[in-house]
């Protein structure tokens, strides 16, 4: 556990060239996989709060009524709305968010997108659950981290962030999907 007993876990499925979405900003079918989805959902069930970008929040109805923290530059700081907590990191520091929302510590799940993944790189991941759809390439698509769009691999970004891989495990052999959990 890191300080304040907060654990931060990132989750993404990427193409071979470390993209999370295509050039239109949409997630293609080639990055959708039932085994990965089942794993992701089971992990979200273990989280005390799910931190995601406004677009992801608007695109994915909160059917399971999970506790969400929505990142948006339109939030006044940290504010509670009918649908979720909303947070603008430029106005309220992370330590104030955790003090308010997770006073006894807990687990934060981070499902992206890119700017959210980048922000939590600076805060610090305890683990990053990186699935990969082998054989898929999405040239000019949206990269996992901004640095991947500048030529760095996701693996090198995670390694530079102080994480080490468990090693890839096959979660869907027919679809060539692997999961590698990187840990502090
Ligand atoms: N393959 C995967 O694992 C994966 C993971 C995540 C997303 N995706 C895909 O990627 C696409 C959407 O991702 P996205 O990156 O475009 O959108 P997103 O992260 O869901 O939402 C972006 C919005 O979040 C807010 N935001 C993010 N970081 C912020 C920060 N540091 N400070 C303030 N506001 C912040 C901004 O909202 P405001 O405009 O309100 O300021 C920004 O416009 C979708 O197709 C989605 O399905 C795929």
């Amino acid at each position: 556990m890191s300080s304040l007993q907060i654990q931060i876990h990132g989750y993404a499925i990427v193409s071979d060239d470390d993209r999370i979405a295509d050039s239109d900003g949409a997630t293609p079918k080639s990055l959708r996989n039932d085994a990965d989805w089942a794993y992701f959902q089971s992990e979200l069930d273990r989280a005390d709060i799910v931190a995601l970008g406004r677009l992801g929040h608007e695109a994915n109805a909160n059917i399971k009524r999970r506790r969400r923290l929505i990142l948006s530059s339109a939030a006044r700081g940290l504010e509670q709305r009918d649908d979720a907590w909303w947070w603008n990191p430029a106005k309220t520091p992370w330590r104030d968010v955790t003090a308010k929302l997770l006073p006894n510590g807990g687990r934060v799940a981070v499902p992206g997108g890119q700017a959210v993944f980048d922000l939590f790189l600076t805060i610090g991941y305890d683990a990053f659950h990186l699935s990969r759809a082998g054989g898929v390439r999405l040239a000019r698509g949206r990269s996992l981290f901004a640095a991947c769009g500048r030529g760095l691999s996701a693996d090198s970004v995670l390694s530079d962030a102080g994480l080490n891989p468990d090693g890839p495990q096959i979660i869907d052999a027919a679809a060539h999907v692997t999961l590698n959990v990187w840990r502090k």
Side-chain angles (χ1 to χ4, degrees):
M1 285 266 191
S2 53
S3 61
L4 286 174
Q5 304 290 302
I6 302 293
Q7 284 245 326
I8 300 174
H9 287 241
Y11 298 89
I13 181 167
V14 297
S15 57
D16 275 338
D17 47 355
D18 293 330
R19 310 286 149 169
I20 57 171
D22 62 21
S23 53
D24 298 326
T27 303
K29 275 188 184 164
S30 55
L31 285 187
R32 296 193 190 279
N33 176 266
D34 287 346
D36 175 64
W37 184 255
Y39 175 78
F40 175 53
Q41 291 298 312
S42 70
E43 286 289 308
L44 292 187
D45 287 341
R46 300 176 62 191
D48 297 294
I49 197 160
V50 181
L52 72 167
R54 177 182 58 81
L55 296 177
H57 170 63
E58 291 172 354
N60 297 284
N62 192 1
I63 296 165
K64 290 202 171 179
R65 296 183 168 274
R66 294 189 175 106
R67 196 179 188 211
R68 282 184 174 180
L69 176 65
I70 314 307
L71 281 85
S72 172
S73 58
R76 290 190 298 271
L78 177 67
E79 52 179 293
Q80 189 169 25
R81 299 187 187 173
D82 288 344
D83 57 348
W85 284 91
W86 285 66
W87 176 39
N88 181 350
K91 296 196 171 167
T92 301
W94 176 241
R95 65 174 176 277
D96 291 1
V97 174
T98 55
K100 174 85 176 170
L101 301 185
L102 297 168
N104 300 313
R107 185 155 165 159
V108 182
V110 180
Q114 186 194 77
V116 183
F117 287 135
D118 278 343
L119 176 77
F120 279 95
L121 261 183
T122 68
I123 293 169
Y125 290 104
D126 294 279
F128 201 101
H129 305 241
L130 185 62
S131 296
R132 188 174 296 280
V136 176
R137 297 191 73 82
L138 296 168
R140 294 184 299 282
R142 194 152 177 75
S143 57
L144 174 63
F145 301 113
C148 301
R150 300 192 295 269
L152 279 182
S153 69
D155 288 2
S156 64
V157 172
L158 292 167
S159 180
D160 289 350
L163 302 176
N164 296 299
D166 283 353
Q169 51 173 303
I170 298 166
I171 57 172
D172 185 337
H176 309 290
V177 176
T178 57
L179 167 68
N180 203 349
V181 183
W182 291 70
R183 300 181 198 277
K184 198 86 181 169

